[in-house]
Amino acid sequence: MEEIFPGHPRAESLRIRKRIAEAMEMGIVVPEGLTAHGRGEAFDYLIGEKTTEVAKRAIEASAAALLMASHPVISVNGNAAALVPSELVELSKICGAKLEVNLFHRSFRRELLIAEHLKKHGGGEILGVGEENAVRLPEIQSERRKADRRGIYKADVILVPLEDGDRTEALKRMGKFVIAIDLNPLSRTARAADITIVDNIVRAVPLMVEILKEMKSKPTDVLRKMVKSFDNEANLAESLKFMSRRLLELAGETPNYLSGGTKG
Ligand code: ATP
Ligand code: MG
């Protein structure tokens, strides 16, 4: 592969692309994963490729929800495994969440490859591989409805870094508390989740680890309040306004109704 020059203005973005492309060669990522990544990149461009204060608030609420959960599970697809394997393992350890391979384009080979990849990055038990503990979610058609009876099936809180809208909606109908990481505030996943973190997983997951470390000692009633007071619709609206404001500023305009700084 071609070398990426450190001074290149898009060096970090190119490094991430390279990681995804290499993971595709390994069989972890499918070609559709590359296009999904591209859609994410476009929205990352709009927020300026930095974690916004709005996203940080969603990460804090997510950390509180994970700490309060009885059976937290982190769902891992190909792109997430390619981009943040060791960070996801660390996150799972710090909040006692199980890791479950959960694929849109499912094959046993990919399940195995992703589980091995996570283990290579420090992961212990990885759920969602093979048929032994598989259950089919009643809410979804086709092979996308597989879940592990020890994981997503019985989870109360599920973190889905990059998920499809159909499945997020199905998890919601099953009464799960869903935390999504999705750069697109307009996606069905972003709209259906209880908490949506509009940020790139390469930044959001490490930051969540740091925030979890700080929050671990907080009393339960404080954590509960943080979760209860979080309003996902309002937070998504703030992300959209952030993007709008940024675009207008880049276009040389600052209309009155947007010039009042960040609200809420
Ligand atoms: P939905 O099914 O929820 O309506 P979609 O069909 O547009 O959304 P999918 O392909 O199902 O999208 O899911 C991929 C989602 O992940 C996209 O919304 C994309 O913006 C987002 N995404 C891709 N890469 C990243 C990343 N690195 N960090 C955060 N989000 C990302
Ligand atoms: Mg989709």
Side-chain angles (χ1 to χ4, degrees):
M1 275 214 200
E2 260 175 68
E3 195 185 340
I4 298 164
F5 294 103
H8 191 287
R10 314 223 50 73
E12 186 52 27
S13 168
L14 293 177
R15 267 194 288 272
I16 295 169
R17 273 193 187 173
K18 198 169 161 189
R19 235 183 292 160
I20 284 263
E22 282 167 358
M24 195 180 104
E25 281 164 19
M26 290 159 72
I28 287 174
V29 166
V30 286
E32 290 84 348
L34 301 187
T35 58
H37 181 74
R39 183 173 293 160
E41 275 184 341
F43 284 97
D44 207 9
Y45 219 112
L46 296 182
I47 60 170
E49 296 172 308
K50 280 196 210 89
T51 303
T52 64
E53 279 306 311
V54 182
K56 195 165 173 229
R57 285 200 293 275
I59 294 174
E60 284 163 355
S62 304
L66 285 168
L67 287 173
M68 284 195 47
S70 309
H71 297 288
V73 173
I74 301 170
S75 159
V76 186
N77 73 354
N79 285 31
L83 293 177
V84 278
S86 49
E87 293 86 345
L88 287 173
V89 167
E90 198 181 354
L91 184 69
S92 76
K93 286 183 180 160
I94 206 159
C95 65
K98 298 200 154 108
L99 289 165
E100 175 167 339
V101 180
N102 178 22
L103 304 177
F104 189 86
H105 301 279
R106 189 176 287 283
S107 74
F108 181 53
R109 179 172 173 267
R110 267 187 90 216
E111 286 174 357
L112 267 181
L113 279 171
I114 290 169
E116 274 166 26
H117 190 66
L118 291 170
K119 284 181 184 163
K120 223 168 46 200
H121 287 84
E125 188 187 28
I126 310 294
L127 308 182
V129 182
E131 285 301 317
E132 202 185 328
N133 290 288
V135 251
R136 301 286 184 262
L137 303 180
E139 297 282 350
I140 314 175
Q141 302 304 311
S142 82
E143 259 323 275
R144 293 169 194 170
R145 61 193 188 133
K146 190 180 156 190
D148 196 305
R149 71 175 84 248
R150 302 161 299 172
I152 287 176
Y153 192 68
K154 78 162 190 189
D156 53 351
V157 176
I158 306 174
L159 171 66
V160 286
L162 318 184
E163 181 56 292
D164 166 62
D166 283 339
R167 292 198 305 198
T168 309
E169 286 168 0
L171 293 174
K172 275 313 299 164
R173 284 197 295 273
M174 289 172 70
K176 312 288 186 189
F177 189 95
V178 179
I179 302 166
I181 304 177
D182 192 333
L183 276 159
N184 178 4
L186 300 168
S187 78
R188 281 177 309 145
T189 295
R191 304 257 143 206
D194 295 279
I195 302 177
T196 305
I197 299 162
V198 179
D199 196 15
N200 199 318
I201 54 167
V202 303
R203 296 186 302 267
V205 177
L207 182 57
M208 201 187 283
V209 168
E210 288 316 306
I211 287 174
L212 272 166
K213 282 182 191 162
E214 288 166 21
M215 278 178 44
K216 264 200 112 145
S217 54
K218 281 208 195 297
T220 316
D221 57 319
V222 174
L223 298 175
R224 190 176 300 121
K225 245 184 233 152
M226 286 179 74
V227 179
K228 276 208 132 179
S229 63
F230 185 83
D231 180 342
N232 203 40
E233 215 178 305
N235 193 269
L236 284 171
E238 285 302 324
S239 284
L240 282 172
K241 284 190 217 165
F242 183 91
M243 291 177 190
S244 319
R245 203 158 35 229
R246 208 170 159 268
L247 286 177
L248 285 166
E249 275 165 20
L250 289 169
E253 274 180 45
T254 315
N256 290 338
Y257 78 100
L258 286 171
S259 60
T262 27
K263 272 193 279 167

